[in-house]
Amino acid sequence: MVLVGGDVVPDPRRRMPGRGAWLHPDERCLAKAEKRRAFPRALRAGGAVGVDALRAVLAGGADTGGGIGAGSSRAVEGNRKQVDPS
C-alpha cells in the first residue's frame, strides 16, 4: 500500500512512488492496523488516513490487477514461470 492524497491505496505491482507498507489480505488485519493507527506511522503521514479503497479490495468490490499481495513479478503458468513483461 502507498499513500495517495491522504488515502491508503493498494499497490500490488509495487510500482507507485512513495513509502510503502504491507498488510495481510485479511479484513481482520486491516481492522487491527486501523485500531493500532499503523498506517499513519508506517507511511509517515501527518494525520489520519482513509482506508476505504483498501477495504473495498479486501471485500472484493474493486479490481486492482490481482488484489493485495499480488505484486509478484513472475506469473506461474503450470510448472513454468514467465517473467512479467512490464
Side-chain angles (χ1 to χ4, degrees), residues 22-37:
W22 294 89
L23 179 73
H24 289 115
D26 186 352
E27 291 181 17
R28 293 175 296 179
C29 289
L30 175 60
K32 190 173 183 178
E34 283 182 288
K35 183 178 177 181
R36 297 177 65 199
R37 292 183 269 256

Side-chain angles (χ1 to χ4, degrees), residues 17-84:
R19 187 170 178 87
W22 294 89
L23 179 73
H24 289 115
D26 186 352
E27 291 181 17
R28 293 175 296 179
C29 289
L30 175 60
K32 190 173 183 178
E34 283 182 288
K35 183 178 177 181
R36 297 177 65 199
R37 292 183 269 256
F39 290 120
R41 257 193 336 254
L43 300 172
R44 296 183 181 166
V49 297
V51 294
D52 294 334
L54 218 48
R55 188 172 286 115
V57 170
L58 288 176
D63 182 25
T64 61
I68 298 173
S72 175
S73 62
R74 297 181 178 263
V76 177
E77 189 176 302
N79 290 333
R80 197 177 86 198
K81 293 183 179 180
Q82 288 184 321
V83 176
D84 187 11

Side-chain angles (χ1 to χ4, degrees), residues 1-21 42-43:
M1 276 80 43
V2 294
L3 190 63
V4 176
D7 292 326
V8 179
V9 296
D11 183 19
R13 298 185 57 146
R14 301 183 307 249
R15 300 288 189 265
M16 296 175 75
R19 187 170 178 87
L43 300 172

